[in-house]
Amino acid sequence: MNIQDRNKVFIDRSKLLDLLSRKAPEQSELNEILNKALKLKGLNLKEVAALLCVEDEKQISEIMDAAHTVKDEIYGKRLVLFAPIYTGNVCCNNCTYCSFRKDNHLIKRKILTMDEIAEETRALLRQGHKRVLLICGENNKNGTDYMCEAIRTTYGVKERGGRDYVRRINVELAPMETEDFARLHEEKIGTYVCFQETYDSELYKRYHPAGTPKADYEYRLTVMDRAQEGGINDVGIGALFGLGDYRFEVLGMMEHANHLESCYGCGPHTVSIPRLEPAVGAPDAEHVPMPVSDENFKKLTAIIRIALPYTGMILSTRENSEMRNTLINYGISQISAGSRTNPGAYAEDEKGTGSQFELGDHREMEDVINSFIDEGYVPSFCTGCYRKGRVGEDFMDLAKPGLIKQYCLPNALFTFKEYLEDFAHEDTRNKGMKLIKRMLEEYDQKQLIPKIEKNLADIESGQRDIYF
Ligand code: SAM
Ligand code: SF4
């Protein structure tokens, strides 16, 4: 491993701009790249740059087809669901695109108490959620002590006589020091998520005014190094699409993934692709500086999928249902459902506090689940790998030879069955049961079927939290 490169800036702006100044690839070059992608080995930076320069419609559809094959081969028809809990919207930064920015006086501010966090957790558990993302603005009151307590509070909530509880907490928080990460690690967080927003250091200055902690590009860029040093192996990266050239941001994420892989032996656990949404009191969200069209958004999703085949890809409710239903076929493996982005929104329907941005998908969780069932996807609440210690490099060792299928589909079926038993209305339940039956008929690991069927029967008779 490349220890000397740890904590160093790994983005060479002119190198990336140079890579993007090339012409679109000829068909022969494209074929070569896509053939490599179909071997599930991922792509290098130059190959990704070539794909990003494709503009011909037919060639784009070839990239999409390759992404569809890669997605299906590695992840199958399964989709992991989660929901965010916004613990506060007070922020000391002034990001020009976010409603939580400190100079925005148009929203009401709030930091949840531990009791309120417990209420939010209960409300999500009652919808059937098992995976939660804790998220907030940056300020002293939302520091590490608060977050550690928030994590303990969230894990501590038990519903229906102890049958329902949050099984995995991921956190999306401002960059911090290695010691803080060590503390979060002790509280048993899953993934630490932080978006670079833009990997372009010049643009970064424009959106993050000097004098705020977030203005420090390098400190944010090296945050995953500190997370790794603090013991957190699962990290999630992302860029906020709409701030810069989307092609540059994709190359930036590739460089980030390469950096983590070479320094720590394992790339990011997830990549998120948030797209800038309208936000009250945030000038750069009202007039998006470099909008990414729907077509380019689909293309970039497909390119990331084939470039980093074993990295989970997350899409939030920023996108509308149509886009979400499309992108699950080309790369997305995790999706939020029934989300609200204002603190206290689940328990209180707290419309008074300010939300971070406008949602594209307002549907309740069961409606989202219904539409995924209709698309033939199994909604999964699985947390098996994390709880069995299959994280970071261990997860990748497991995932790369294709073993992921042996664990992930059965575990998805178990958690989906629990959902159908405990939370679904009858029509959803009937549709869901048919989907489980069909998935088992199509499942190629026939030797596992008796065990899977036994577990499904145990769930039907009341057992919970069973996983491989
Ligand atoms: N405050 C922390 C930070 O900035 O890292 C925690 C997360 S912040 C609440 C979550 C993310 O929301 C930001 O990293 C940014 O990418 C995204 N975001 C901010 N404003 C947005 C907008 N108008 N539309 C879509 N996403 C936005
Ligand atoms: Fe604060 Fe994060 Fe919003 Fe920036 S993006 S204003 S840091 S909450």
Side-chain angles (χ1 to χ4, degrees):
M1 277 174 227
N2 226 341
I3 292 172
Q4 70 277 14
D5 284 342
R6 292 181 177 183
N7 287 303
K8 297 232 172 86
V9 170
F10 48 83
I11 297 288
D12 178 342
R13 187 170 183 270
S14 35
K15 176 177 111 182
L16 301 191
L17 290 174
D18 197 40
L19 279 168
L20 291 171
S21 65
R22 59 160 290 157
K23 286 205 294 268
E26 298 290 335
Q27 188 65 40
S28 56
E29 187 187 357
L30 180 70
N31 292 345
E32 218 172 287
I33 297 172
L34 294 182
N35 283 337
K36 180 177 172 193
L38 290 169
K39 293 190 182 118
L40 312 181
K41 299 262 186 240
L43 299 177
N44 63 34
L45 198 65
K46 247 173 105 183
E47 291 159 342
V48 173
L51 295 186
L52 288 165
C53 292
V54 170
E55 287 192 350
D56 176 76
E57 265 181 40
K58 185 177 150 284
Q59 291 190 326
I60 291 175
S61 78
E62 288 169 15
I63 298 174
M64 305 294 292
D65 288 348
H68 183 63
T69 307
V70 169
K71 165 88 204 294
D72 213 41
E73 181 70 25
I74 295 176
Y75 298 87
K77 292 267 187 207
R78 140 192 97 72
L79 203 53
V80 172
L81 297 189
F82 71 96
I85 293 182
Y86 276 74
T87 64
N89 61 3
V90 178
C91 192
C92 60
N93 292 306
N94 237 335
C95 312
T96 55
Y97 45 80
C98 179
S99 280
F100 293 176
R101 57 200 285 269
K102 74 170 177 205
D103 287 351
N104 179 17
H105 301 297
L106 299 174
I107 63 165
K108 197 172 127 197
R109 308 283 173 161
K110 184 171 174 90
I111 293 178
L112 299 185
T113 63
M114 293 304 140
D115 284 346
E116 287 168 330
I117 291 175
E119 274 309 306
E120 291 291 273
T121 308
R122 271 184 212 106
L124 287 179
L125 288 172
R126 282 196 289 269
Q127 290 179 32
H129 277 291
K130 303 281 188 276
R131 302 169 64 106
V132 161
L133 174 74
L134 293 182
I135 181 167
C136 60
E138 179 174 4
N139 71 87
N140 294 339
K141 292 189 191 125
N142 270 150
T144 309
D145 287 343
Y146 172 92
M147 281 325 296
C148 287
E149 209 185 335
I151 293 163
R152 283 197 291 275
T153 302
T154 307
Y155 274 137
V157 174
K158 304 275 185 277
E159 281 285 272
R160 295 194 310 137
R163 271 153 58 106
D164 297 333
Y165 43 88
V166 171
R167 298 177 189 171
R168 178 176 175 126
I169 299 176
N170 298 332
V171 298
E172 184 171 344
L173 303 170
M176 58 191 96
E177 293 296 315
T178 304
E179 307 80 81
D180 300 306
F181 282 117
R183 290 185 58 200
L184 293 181
H185 181 53
E186 279 197 0
E187 301 295 342
K188 302 204 179 342
I189 62 158
T191 311
Y192 169 71
V193 179
C194 185
F195 306 152
Q196 184 58 30
E197 319 298 13
T198 173
Y199 283 90
D200 182 329
S201 52
E202 292 301 313
L203 287 177
Y204 190 92
K205 283 187 208 140
R206 182 174 135 198
Y207 302 122
H208 304 102
T212 60
K214 195 158 167 180
D216 191 339
Y217 172 86
E218 268 189 54
Y219 189 66
R220 198 163 179 98
L221 196 67
T222 50
V223 66
M224 297 310 176
D225 295 77
R226 296 189 296 281
Q228 294 276 356
E229 283 161 8
I232 296 173
N233 301 124
D234 278 1
V235 296
I237 63 171
L240 182 55
F241 286 93
L243 296 179
D245 177 349
Y246 74 91
R247 303 173 313 153
F248 188 96
E249 305 303 356
V250 173
L251 290 187
M253 291 200 284
M254 284 297 295
E255 284 289 68
H256 205 163
N258 292 338
H259 168 78
L260 294 171
E261 172 98 43
S262 84
C263 291
Y264 307 98
C266 175
H269 186 63
T270 55
V271 166
S272 295
I273 50 167
R275 206 163 39 153
L276 204 47
E277 290 298 321
V280 172
D284 279 324
E286 276 154 32
H287 303 283
V288 177
M290 296 183 85
V292 182
S293 68
D294 285 354
E295 288 318 305
N296 283 335
F297 197 55
K298 289 177 201 165
K299 180 175 96 175
L300 75 87
T301 304
I303 294 174
I304 297 171
R305 176 69 298 140
I306 60 181
L308 300 171
Y310 295 99
T311 302
M313 280 185 80
I314 302 183
L315 193 69
S316 75
T317 46
R318 289 173 180 87
E319 298 298 331
N320 64 29
S321 54
E322 200 184 320
M323 182 57 83
R324 281 151 61 87
N325 283 356
T326 303
L327 293 188
I328 57 179
N329 294 309
Y330 299 106
I332 298 304
S333 56
Q334 296 190 23
I335 210 151
S336 51
S339 308
R340 301 289 173 266
T341 65
N342 43 331
Y346 301 114
E348 300 278 338
D349 199 14
E350 181 64 81
K351 295 210 172 61
T353 59
S355 57
Q356 197 194 5
F357 45 79
E358 281 179 26
L359 297 178
D361 183 350
H362 298 264
R363 293 171 302 166
E364 297 297 327
M365 162 109 126
E366 187 164 353
D367 297 333
V368 175
I369 285 190
N370 253 304
S371 84
F372 290 146
I373 298 174
D374 292 341
E375 299 287 322
Y377 276 83
V378 175
S380 170
F381 299 91
C382 177
T383 51
C385 280
Y386 151 73
R387 288 156 83 210
K388 289 226 161 162
R390 298 188 295 253
V391 296
E393 204 174 347
D394 292 342
F395 173 80
M396 286 299 173
D397 287 348
L398 178 83
K400 286 192 177 162
L403 281 174
I404 205 169
K405 277 192 175 170
Q406 280 191 22
Y407 294 99
C408 297
L409 185 73
N411 285 346
L413 294 179
F414 303 151
T415 56
F416 182 41
K417 171 85 172 154
E418 286 183 351
Y419 174 82
L420 295 174
E421 291 290 328
D422 293 342
F423 303 100
H425 289 96
E426 202 183 333
D427 50 343
T428 311
R429 188 167 186 280
N430 292 339
K431 259 201 310 192
M433 295 304 287
K434 278 193 197 134
L435 180 62
I436 292 181
K437 190 163 170 278
R438 202 171 78 226
M439 293 314 265
L440 282 179
E441 281 161 9
E442 290 168 7
Y443 190 49
D444 57 6
Q445 314 275 325
K446 297 289 175 212
Q447 77 287 1
L448 289 177
I449 288 186
K451 215 164 165 207
I452 296 173
E453 283 177 336
K454 161 137 194 348
N455 282 358
L456 289 171
D458 286 346
I459 291 167
E460 195 155 327
S461 50
Q463 274 195 54
R464 291 291 172 269
D465 209 2
I466 305 176
Y467 51 93
F468 283 176

